[in-house]
Amino acid sequence: MTTFDSRNLLRPALAAALYLMGGSAAAADTCGGAPRLAVATPAGFCAGIIGQGFKFARGVQPMPDGSVLVVDLGGWQKNQGSVWLLKPGAGGFQKTLLMKKVDRPNGIVLGPDGLVYVGAIKRIFRFDPRDPEGTAKDVIGGNSGTPGLPGIGRHPLTAMRFDARGDLYVNVGSGSDHCEDKDGKAPDSAKPCPETTGANALGVLRKYTMQWPAGTVKRWEVHATGLRNSMALAVHPTTQALWQGENSRDAIQAAIKGLKNDNDLPHDELNLIEAKANYGWPYCYDNNVASPEYPDARCAAYRAPLRLLPAHAAPLGMTFYTGTMFPAQYKNSLIVGYHGYRAHGHRLVALLPDAQGAPLGKSIELIGDWSAKPDQPGGAPVDVKQGPDGAIYLVEDRSGRVVRLQYVAPGMAAPRK
């Protein structure tokens, strides 16, 4: 299999950055040479549409040469997914299909070997974008020799992140909302939730210890439990700690007398993930409050979130900001996409670091007013990544667009091509 030589990618990356930061960024209807997204941003920021026309864009991976890879789920039917390349040029980003008929792909990350890793239903595979079909190889599931992912139930999609050692953390989402059976009844709180036990336990994070340079799995284990759906994962740039954005349960009002709706309850969560810790799903919510179906749950035994996020914000992608394009206050902040369709969703926020460097400081809205407009659908951001130019790239699955958030200091002209 061929691999990347990063030395050949530096000059194209610089050229792409200069193009994207071109003088047209100052125009009212463009951002970095791309059509401007009609949203609210802080002073100096703007959001440009660098790709569109995708059916169900779910994953984004900026590459060292300035190109951008996009994963399109295609829909919830089997084998409708695809992977695309957006390559910058004089007329904007050009769109090329790399592979098709992938089964519900979602996650995409750049591996330590320079290859691209994609999470599909029941498997993770990798490939070299210069020869996608010729280099595609299963890493987990498929013909890899490593057992596949469950890929079943309410949350079958695959999200993943590599840590600094090159080990891979993979979401295995829950099969239910709060461990209810097919009749909607919750099990005895004194007994384990059936779907969270066994070799294919759901509602967990798996850790795959990798062997390099081969890029094969040495062993795997359940790393953390009690997590309903870990679609948003990020590794802190200095502490190397793994952080998780929890998508909390729905329909809690059906079990709490007098509660009219669940618009503000329960909160989604930001969790610091530690090995073998249990984070309480489905028995507890918010700051270790017993769920109404499990009033006798001993929530003090579980790990509480370090930060409560807005209810149903639905964090589906996040990344720590390590670039130099944004103002200094954003350094090491956690950039999170809120996918939710309700009041607290459809926005991009930065959770600034506190005095200890954890993403527990002030929350700043980087993209807001992303509700539906006459000529633009509301936003539903999914994956969020930092590019080599220091901009933030994200995809959203409501209108199938790829968006680039950039910053030019107020009063300063953007560099020209």
Side-chain angles (χ1 to χ4, degrees), residues 44 53 89-90 108 257 261 326-327 331 349-350 368 375-376 380 387:
I108 181 170
K257 186 177 181 180
N261 58 57
F326 291 4
K331 190 74 171 182
V349 303
D375 58 348
Q376 179 178 286

Side-chain angles (χ1 to χ4, degrees), residues 180-257:
E180 71 280 9
D181 61 22
K182 62 181 180 180
D183 296 319
K185 184 179 179 181
D188 183 347
S189 62
K191 299 178 181 179
C193 171
E195 69 182 75
T196 66
T197 63
N200 282 312
L202 307 180
V204 305
L205 270 172
R206 290 184 178 185
K207 177 183 178 180
Y208 290 85
T209 301
M210 304 293 291
Q211 297 183 110
W212 301 105
T216 55
V217 174
K218 184 177 181 180
R219 61 180 179 273
W220 70 272
E221 62 186 349
V222 172
H223 184 68
T225 58
L227 298 164
R228 180 174 175 268
N229 195 23
S230 305
M231 295 296 286
L233 298 168
V235 176
H236 195 281
T238 59
T239 66
Q240 307 306 322
L242 180 66
W243 290 80
Q244 179 255 13
E246 173 74 312
N247 286 254
S248 297
R249 60 166 294 173
D250 294 320
I252 199 170
Q253 80 281 3
I256 298 181
K257 186 177 181 180

Side-chain angles (χ1 to χ4, degrees), residues 157-181:
L157 301 182
T158 302
M160 57 197 168
R161 284 293 184 274
F162 283 103
D163 67 11
R165 297 178 298 274
D167 293 331
L168 186 63
Y169 296 88
V170 180
N171 170 49
V172 180
S174 71
S176 64
D177 179 53
H178 56 275
C179 198
E180 71 280 9
D181 61 22

Side-chain angles (χ1 to χ4, degrees), residues 307 329 350-354 360-364:
R307 182 172 195 150
Q329 69 170 335
L351 305 180
L352 301 188
D354 64 8
L360 305 177
K362 182 180 179 181
S363 175
I364 297 178

Side-chain angles (χ1 to χ4, degrees), residues 31-243:
C31 172
R36 184 184 290 255
L37 189 67
V39 291
T41 58
F45 287 90
C46 68
I49 303 167
I50 65 167
Q52 52 190 328
F54 296 98
K55 292 181 179 179
F56 210 33
R58 297 283 297 190
V60 65
Q61 180 58 58
M63 299 297 286
D65 65 351
S67 63
V68 179
L69 295 175
V70 178
V71 163
D72 191 336
L73 185 77
W76 290 103
Q77 299 77 26
K78 293 182 179 180
N79 303 320
Q80 301 299 308
S82 53
V83 182
W84 298 77
L85 172 70
L86 295 178
K87 189 174 182 179
F93 281 83
Q94 304 302 312
K95 183 177 175 183
T96 302
L97 177 65
L98 296 184
M99 56 179 63
K100 57 184 180 179
K101 296 184 179 180
V102 184
D103 191 6
R104 288 161 286 176
N106 179 79
I108 181 170
V109 294
L110 188 62
D113 52 2
L115 300 179
V116 176
Y117 290 68
V118 173
I121 295 296
K122 299 183 182 295
R123 71 183 183 118
I124 293 173
F125 66 92
R126 69 182 180 195
F127 69 95
D128 184 333
R130 296 173 297 188
D131 181 18
E133 297 296 340
T135 60
K137 182 178 181 179
D138 290 323
V139 178
I140 296 170
N143 59 13
S144 67
T146 298
L149 301 163
I152 57 174
R154 191 182 182 108
H155 304 113
L157 301 182
T158 302
M160 57 197 168
R161 284 293 184 274
F162 283 103
D163 67 11
R165 297 178 298 274
D167 293 331
L168 186 63
Y169 296 88
V170 180
N171 170 49
V172 180
S174 71
S176 64
D177 179 53
H178 56 275
C179 198
E180 71 280 9
D181 61 22
K182 62 181 180 180
D183 296 319
K185 184 179 179 181
D188 183 347
S189 62
K191 299 178 181 179
C193 171
E195 69 182 75
T196 66
T197 63
N200 282 312
L202 307 180
V204 305
L205 270 172
R206 290 184 178 185
K207 177 183 178 180
Y208 290 85
T209 301
M210 304 293 291
Q211 297 183 110
W212 301 105
T216 55
V217 174
K218 184 177 181 180
R219 61 180 179 273
W220 70 272
E221 62 186 349
V222 172
H223 184 68
T225 58
L227 298 164
R228 180 174 175 268
N229 195 23
S230 305
M231 295 296 286
L233 298 168
V235 176
H236 195 281
T238 59
T239 66
Q240 307 306 322
L242 180 66
W243 290 80

Side-chain angles (χ1 to χ4, degrees), residues 6 37 80 128 152 157 164 260 321 335 368-370 398 407:
S6 60
L37 189 67
Q80 301 299 308
D128 184 333
I152 57 174
L157 301 182
K260 293 182 179 180
Y321 187 75
I335 312 294
D369 189 26
W370 208 351
R398 184 177 293 184
Y407 177 82

